[in-house]
Amino acid sequence: MGSESGATLEEPAWESGAVVRVLPAVAARKLNKVPFVEMAEGRLQGVVSSGSDISRVYVASVTAGTHGLSCSTNNNRPCGGLNQGWGTCKHLDSLIEEAVLQYGQDRVARFLRVEVPEGSRIVHCLTGTRDPAPAAAVFSRFLRHLTYLELPGSAMPIPELHWFPAGVDH
């Protein structure tokens, strides 16, 4: 193998590699409260721990553009607090708050396509109503991520994680 990386003069070498550059979190997150948050499938979505039952979690999401709000338990029971006269529920509030810590308010607002006035919070600018979204895929991805935490430490590659960013110093 030669020393060619496949990158052009205009393209950084890491862009043609098999790894993805990862942006560090904007601030430390409370993983026990919101262990999983992602901007995927046209939604800000994630898993939020129940405040009253340690064995219950909620899958909450906000659809980009329409701001459709969804929140249900891991066994598909709708959240009782969503759209009860005050808009979002505490699970959606926590999800958005943790997403802002992870990705930054500007990035989350751009993704959701919402204008946020200076000094305001994203949650106060959402105009959507209840719009149930599929929770099973989000919860399944969260459980899959948890299995990676159980793997023993190893320097050997894990085939299904070939896409996962690993120690790239760029």
Side-chain angles (χ1 to χ4, degrees), residues 8-135:
T8 65
L9 293 176
E10 299 83 31
E11 179 182 83
W14 66 267
E15 286 186 357
S16 63
V19 294
V20 178
R21 186 160 80 173
V22 175
L23 298 174
V26 173
R29 291 198 324 103
K30 300 173 203 137
L31 294 177
N32 60 338
K33 190 171 188 176
V34 181
F36 184 70
V37 62
E38 64 179 357
M39 294 188 294
E41 301 171 339
R43 291 185 296 274
L44 170 65
Q45 54 194 12
V47 174
V48 181
S49 298
S50 169
S52 59
D53 183 350
I54 195 162
S55 64
R56 181 180 303 138
V57 296
Y58 289 82
V59 176
S61 69
V62 180
T63 303
T66 65
H67 307 152
L69 307 172
S70 181
C71 186
S72 61
T73 65
N74 51 318
N75 55 3
N76 292 322
R77 296 207 170 133
C79 171
L82 181 58
N83 293 123
Q84 297 298 318
W86 54 85
T88 62
C89 61
K90 65 182 178 179
H91 311 109
L92 280 162
D93 290 347
S94 295
L95 175 74
I96 295 165
E97 189 176 303
E98 292 299 311
V100 167
L101 290 175
Q102 179 70 38
Y103 302 110
Q105 180 156 302
D106 291 341
R107 188 170 176 204
V108 174
R110 271 193 316 274
F111 179 81
L112 292 175
R113 295 182 292 232
V114 62
E115 294 291 326
V116 182
E118 187 71 32
S120 189
R121 295 175 53 221
I122 291 173
V123 71
H124 296 135
C125 302
L126 297 175
T127 58
T129 58
R130 183 185 290 268
D131 183 20

